[in-house]
Amino acid sequence: MSRTRTRWRLGLTATALLVVSAVVPAPANAEDVTDYAITVDPAAKGAKIDDTMYGVFFEDINRAADGGLYAELVQNRSFEYSTADNRSYTPLTSWAVGGTATAVGDDGRLNARNRTYLSLGAGSSVTNSGYNTGIRVEDGKKYDFSVWARADQAGTLTVSLTDAGGVLAEARQVEVKGGWAKYRARFTATRSSTTGRLTVATDNSVALDMISLLPRDTYKGHGLRKDLASKIAALDPGFVRFPGGCLVNTGSMQDYSEASNWERKRSYQWKDTVGPVEQRATNSNFWGYNQSYGLGYYEYFQFSEDIGAMPLPVVPALVTGCGQNKAVVDEALLKRHVQDTLDLIEFANGPVTSEWGRKRAQMGHPKPFHLTHIEVGNEENLPNEFFARFTEFRTAIEAKYPDITIISNSGPDDSGSTFDTAWKLNRDADVDMVDEHYYNSTDWFLQNNDRYDSYDRNGPKVFLGEYASGGNTFKNALSEAAFMTGLERNADVVKLASYAPLLANEDAVQWRPDMIWFNNHASWGSASYEVQKLFMTNVGDRVVPTTATGTPSVSGPISGAVGLSTWATTAAYDDVKVTGADGTALLSDDFSGDAAQWTHTGGGSWTVEDGQYVQTDVAAENTMVSAGDPAWHDYDLHVKATKKSGREGFLVAFGVKDTGNYYWWNLGGWNNTLSAVEQATDGGKSTLVSKAGSIETGRAYDIDVKVRGRQVTLSLDGQEWGSFTDDKPAEPFRQIVTKDAKTGDLIVKVVNAQAAQARTTIDLGRTKVKSKAAVTTLAAAPDAVNSETATPVAPVRSTLTGVARKFTYTFPANSVTFLRIRKG
């Protein structure tokens, strides 16, 4: 069923084939121009693009929920912060006490799931510091205060909003008496502030819990922060994937109950997150903080509905990932999770007469949410164990809800043994859809535009659930845009795609890059946000099949110095030798003296000990030291390495240009479960080849790397481990054309990710067109980054005149351009 669009609809006149050819580029100079030709043939018909092609993935990472999309202004409102969440946390984190206040966990609590409350002595107060710099209020806006309180003797709570400059709103008094009850008050801010504090004072002893301050002005009145929700809505996403990510497949699979001893480090389980907020569970967030579940499954479904997007929940498959990599062996627990998933579908779609449909109606939504897709599991690195459990979920869902599309996955990487095994299992079982994830370098995205050209058209469809290049510069966004033209070209295979992560609080970042950044008072879209918005709001309905010759380029041999590194591990290196292809000794170091030949560019602590070069900081990540000439090529590298302690193995680098550009052989990475060759380009990494395997502590390994031209052969203890050839061109000029079925308009989408302008002849053949076209352009310096105060990457709209059946247009250097051409 096609959803109603508000997006800018562009398309192509009767079926067309686009052929792009590159002619000899002009000589490089200050006004460098490369020439291309685009030809449209009205005889071909391409793949249909679903309305849900592009969407967003929301995970509570980078404090995306509490302190982010969830509009609650009070941090740790229910005193549930714990060392289980973060070693620095206590139940009074974010609270300043005046007088006597004690966090209590006895049977006098509000309810069993709200394990801790505050006992506040007579004449005492507590003050909350909010998020970032404080509680943000706007002059004239209304704010709703609420608190659950219990008092044996009648008392008065005085609630005030202030900052260092004084009063922000008239104080309110609340009379409290008797057992637990909810009390409310409303503030109207008398001036604006981003450093506000909320104080609750009492004249008598009182128990407090769930102290809340919410702005009245939220997105569609549904409790979400308006500017963030509006930015997501402006993308016009076709779907919202939620809640994870690593939140889904990490931690305990037990529930939050007395039977589990109130387990805090759990996977995200939907039943914990619905019902009255004061009765919802609390949980330790995988990313190192607490998640209150004030933003839960009901709010997720509601938000999806509010922005016209398809909800796409992800449930645990009882195989942990994200470095944990364990399969839960508990048949009763598995059956419980399978039933929970069936109950989730009923919660979303069931009639009000059903158990879970009635609970949805009680929360305020009697009509169903029209759930059509559900994903089981996320990035499991144990494909056989995962698929055995996935099959049980699939069987149960298909038996009761045969119309639901059930999504599997292919592990955490774009290639390798886990990926291959997972895809074979999915393909052999004829699953509906497979979720692929990868975070790679800009070069990888420019090199792999054709990734899905060769996928089986009759096999499982692809959901590209998480992808991004390694940064937030415009260069990153350009490479992603180039890759997206390949996604659209293969819209018959790639049915869904979402950049990730979506949100990042600038003061609480666990992952980079991110699409939308924010603090407590402002939000801004990254360069990638602008690219995603341009593609999402200008999808079209049908692809025009395209062929293209590439930009002429010459690729020399892999060249660079050599390096040693560790990751959360201590290791010792010895007998480093680099020999040229002709036998010339380029480097030899047995560390019998000092380490003067080596330059330390990473973290950690290196020292020469007993004739070995040792990295001694077990917690440090990326401790790179390098030696040699960046111009070296065609050489053999030998290293002897011994792991001393820690979580992983060791890293041996080659082709080292600088701190952001190199190759390294990561032996015993990913918590000592996998070895892989990774290529770093401008700080972003891509995996070139990988195999399962681990490194033993205390054992000396002989490592050999042979570099010849663009080919590399790797040997471990005298046995060839693997090889690769890095010779795929990073094509900077990419294009796609789509058709609007309703209007017949053209969308010509061109990415020019190079310093040269792209002077392009566009031949529309016999197609009659209007002489004016609408143009939207993103153009900026490659290193441009959007921030709170400056947005150099922003769309510019203009009108192109002189459009005809054949015309010339010069696409700016480093640009993404959409031409809207109306039929004549």
Side-chain angles (χ1 to χ4, degrees):
M1 180 170 58
S2 177
R3 69 189 180 93
T4 303
R5 298 188 189 211
T6 58
R7 52 177 55 135
W8 174 31
R9 300 296 299 273
L10 307 176
L12 179 62
T13 50
T15 61
L17 173 67
L18 179 67
V19 179
V20 177
S21 61
V23 299
V24 179
N29 53 52
E31 297 180 2
D32 201 8
V33 177
T34 301
D35 289 333
Y36 299 86
I38 296 177
T39 303
V40 174
D41 180 351
K45 184 176 182 179
K48 180 182 180 297
I49 307 176
D50 294 343
D51 286 347
T52 51
M53 173 74 185
Y54 295 123
V56 294
F57 166 43
F58 178 86
E59 179 177 10
D60 189 359
I61 183 175
N62 308 314
R63 282 204 178 273
D66 295 332
L69 185 60
Y70 184 43
E72 175 63 67
L73 296 172
V74 175
Q75 184 173 178
N76 190 19
R77 66 181 177 186
S78 59
F79 310 101
E80 295 293 328
Y81 275 27
S82 163
T83 54
D85 311 325
N86 188 294
R87 283 182 295 179
S88 68
Y89 281 1
T90 75
L92 286 172
T93 294
S94 299
W95 293 96
V97 176
T100 304
T102 306
V104 183
D106 61 20
D107 290 340
R109 60 178 62 91
L110 177 61
N111 58 64
R113 284 190 158 194
N114 210 314
R115 305 293 297 167
T116 307
Y117 65 93
L118 186 72
S119 175
L120 191 62
S124 300
S125 66
V126 285
T127 299
N128 192 263
S129 57
Y131 296 93
N132 298 94
T133 57
I135 292 174
R136 186 237 183 161
V137 296
E138 292 183 78
D139 186 18
K141 293 290 184 69
K142 291 179 169 51
Y143 297 85
D144 292 326
F145 168 83
S146 65
V147 61
W148 283 80
R150 188 195 71 210
D152 295 332
Q153 296 182 357
T156 301
L157 299 180
T158 300
V159 188
S160 56
L161 265 174
T162 61
D163 65 6
V167 174
L168 294 173
E170 182 181 347
R172 294 287 184 259
Q173 291 190 328
V174 178
E175 302 299 320
V176 176
K177 184 179 181 181
W180 285 108
K182 188 174 184 178
Y183 299 89
R184 297 179 173 86
R186 182 181 300 171
F187 291 97
T188 300
T190 54
R191 60 185 178 86
S192 297
S193 176
T194 61
T195 59
R197 298 292 188 267
L198 176 75
T199 297
V200 180
T202 182
D203 64 356
N204 206 343
S205 297
V206 65
L208 304 176
D209 209 342
M210 295 297 292
I211 300 175
S212 172
L213 186 69
L214 282 163
R216 174 61 59 88
D217 186 19
T218 61
Y219 187 74
K220 297 197 173 182
H222 288 152
L224 302 185
R225 181 170 149 175
K226 198 168 186 179
D227 63 324
L228 291 178
S230 296
K231 279 186 170 58
I232 298 170
L235 293 167
D236 196 15
F239 65 88
V240 180
R241 179 175 180 252
F242 176 95
C246 291
L247 299 191
V248 166
N249 69 333
T250 54
S252 170
M253 299 294 163
Q254 299 291 337
D255 62 1
Y256 191 57
S257 67
E258 186 175 6
S260 70
N261 196 29
W262 306 103
E263 174 62 61
R264 286 291 293 263
K265 295 188 174 184
R266 308 183 314 282
S267 63
Y268 196 111
Q269 300 174 45
W270 79 271
K271 288 182 179 178
D272 287 343
T273 76
V274 296
V277 290
E278 68 274 7
Q279 296 177 17
R280 297 183 189 182
T282 190
N283 202 6
S284 171
N285 181 290
F286 174 79
W287 299 106
Y289 52 91
N290 175 272
Q291 48 190 344
S292 72
Y293 289 144
L295 174 56
Y297 256 79
Y298 177 81
E299 289 78 17
Y300 149 65
F301 280 126
Q302 189 174 61
F303 180 54
S304 299
E305 182 179 76
D306 284 345
I307 64 176
M310 177 183 79
L312 203 165
V314 187
V315 298
L318 275 73
V319 178
T320 59
C322 300
Q324 297 182 357
N325 301 336
K326 294 180 181 179
V328 177
V329 181
D330 185 330
E331 191 63 28
L333 187 59
L334 176 59
K335 290 185 182 302
R336 192 267 286 175
H337 276 265
V338 170
Q339 184 59 52
D340 282 354
T341 302
L342 297 176
D343 292 343
L344 171 60
I345 298 171
E346 182 176 284
F347 177 78
N349 294 349
V352 295
T353 54
S354 67
E355 177 186 358
W356 289 100
R358 180 167 58 254
K359 291 183 183 297
R360 181 195 67 238
Q362 290 169 350
M363 293 184 72
H365 202 286
K367 293 183 179 179
F369 282 116
H370 305 295
L371 176 68
T372 60
H373 291 62
I374 195 164
E375 183 172 355
V376 178
N378 168 77
E379 289 190 10
E380 283 73 21
N381 209 26
L382 302 173
N384 291 296
E385 292 86 342
F386 160 72
F387 204 78
R389 290 155 180 78
F390 171 84
T391 300
E392 295 203 34
F393 282 86
R394 183 188 185 194
T395 299
I397 295 170
E398 287 181 340
K400 190 169 184 180
Y401 300 105
D403 294 333
I404 295 289
T405 297
I406 308 165
I407 303 172
S408 179
N409 74 80
S410 59
D413 299 305
D414 61 271
S415 61
S417 57
T418 297
F419 178 87
D420 293 340
T421 301
W423 255 108
K424 185 178 189 306
L425 292 167
N426 286 310
R427 192 178 296 109
D428 290 349
D430 193 27
V431 303
D432 295 329
M433 191 175 291
V434 177
D435 186 3
E436 293 188 356
H437 294 178
Y438 36 83
Y439 296 92
N440 290 325
S441 68
T442 54
D443 272 5
W444 188 93
F445 282 100
L446 293 175
Q447 290 170 336
N448 285 276
N449 178 272
D450 63 349
R451 175 179 176 87
Y452 297 105
D453 290 358
S454 58
Y455 271 49
D456 182 1
R457 277 28 219 174
N458 298 313
K461 302 306 180 185
V462 172
F463 172 25
L464 180 48
E466 298 183 33
Y467 73 96
S469 65
N472 268 148
T473 70
F474 189 49
K475 179 178 180 179
N476 296 105
L478 283 170
S479 71
E480 293 153 5
F483 189 71
M484 292 172 78
T485 66
L487 300 182
E488 289 192 9
R489 186 175 62 252
N490 291 284
D492 57 327
V493 170
V494 183
K495 307 305 289 184
L496 307 168
S498 51
Y499 178 102
L502 178 62
L503 296 175
N505 185 319
E506 66 174 352
D507 293 334
V509 181
Q510 283 85 34
W511 187 274
R512 297 173 188 269
D514 303 287
M515 195 195 299
I516 300 171
W517 291 76
F518 66 92
N519 50 38
N520 69 351
H521 62 276
S523 58
W524 57 98
S526 67
S528 295
Y529 172 84
E530 297 299 342
V531 161
Q532 293 291 324
K533 185 177 179 182
L534 192 56
F535 273 83
M536 284 194 209
T537 55
N538 299 282
V539 180
D541 297 287
R542 186 168 293 279
V543 173
V544 177
T546 63
T547 56
T549 57
T551 303
S553 63
V554 177
S555 183
I558 291 174
S559 61
V562 298
L564 309 171
S565 189
T566 59
W567 198 286
T569 303
T570 64
Y573 296 92
D574 202 357
D575 295 334
V576 181
K577 296 177 182 177
V578 182
T579 307
D582 61 358
T584 303
L586 301 176
L587 173 70
S588 180
D589 202 337
D590 63 2
F591 302 106
S592 57
D594 56 24
Q597 299 184 78
W598 297 85
T599 301
H600 186 188
T601 57
S605 179
W606 289 85
T607 184
V608 175
E609 298 179 4
D610 301 323
Q612 295 181 313
Y613 202 19
V614 184
Q615 199 292 113
T616 58
D617 185 345
V618 74
E621 299 177 345
N622 194 1
T623 64
M624 180 82 83
V625 291
S626 60
D629 188 339
W632 280 351
H633 61 87
D634 296 292
Y635 56 76
D636 297 311
L637 166 64
H638 172 80
V639 180
K640 188 178 289 291
T642 305
K643 173 182 176 178
K644 297 174 75 68
S645 66
R647 296 203 313 262
E648 305 206 345
F650 27 76
L651 301 124
V652 175
F654 53 96
V656 179
K657 294 290 191 185
D658 52 44
T659 56
N661 296 275
Y662 54 84
Y663 301 80
W664 67 18
W665 190 3
N666 187 348
L667 287 148
W670 295 270
N671 281 335
N672 208 15
T673 63
L674 191 70
S675 294
V677 177
E678 298 177 281
Q679 180 184 13
T681 305
D682 295 336
K685 292 189 183 71
S686 304
T687 300
L688 302 180
V689 57
S690 66
K691 293 182 180 180
S694 60
I695 293 298
E696 298 176 24
T697 301
R699 174 183 166 186
Y701 290 85
D702 283 303
I703 299 166
D704 290 280
V705 180
K706 180 180 180 179
V707 182
R708 294 293 185 273
R710 305 296 300 178
Q711 184 172 356
V712 178
T713 304
L714 307 112
S715 298
L716 190 63
D717 288 337
Q719 300 294 315
E720 184 174 323
W721 176 88
S723 63
F724 68 92
T725 302
D726 181 23
D727 61 356
K728 201 169 186 180
E731 170 59 55
F733 185 87
R734 296 293 187 185
Q735 44 66 43
I736 190 73
V737 171
T738 57
K739 173 187 178 181
D740 186 300
K742 183 177 181 180
T743 66
D745 291 352
L746 295 175
I747 315 171
V748 178
K749 313 175 189 183
V750 175
V751 180
N752 184 29
Q754 60 186 330
Q757 298 178 68
R759 184 169 53 210
T760 307
T761 300
I762 301 174
D763 187 346
L764 304 178
R766 298 186 301 272
T767 304
K768 292 183 178 180
V769 295
K770 299 287 188 182
S771 61
K772 293 183 179 180
V775 183
T776 303
T777 305
L778 291 173
D783 61 352
V785 176
N786 285 352
S787 67
E788 179 183 354
T789 57
T791 53
V793 183
V796 175
R797 293 177 175 83
S798 60
T799 300
L800 174 66
T801 59
V803 177
R805 293 180 178 180
K806 186 174 183 179
F807 66 99
T808 299
Y809 187 85
T810 298
F811 296 96
N814 300 307
S815 68
V816 182
T817 306
F818 281 34
L819 300 179
R820 174 183 181 177
I821 302 175
R822 304 299 302 269
K823 70 176 183 179

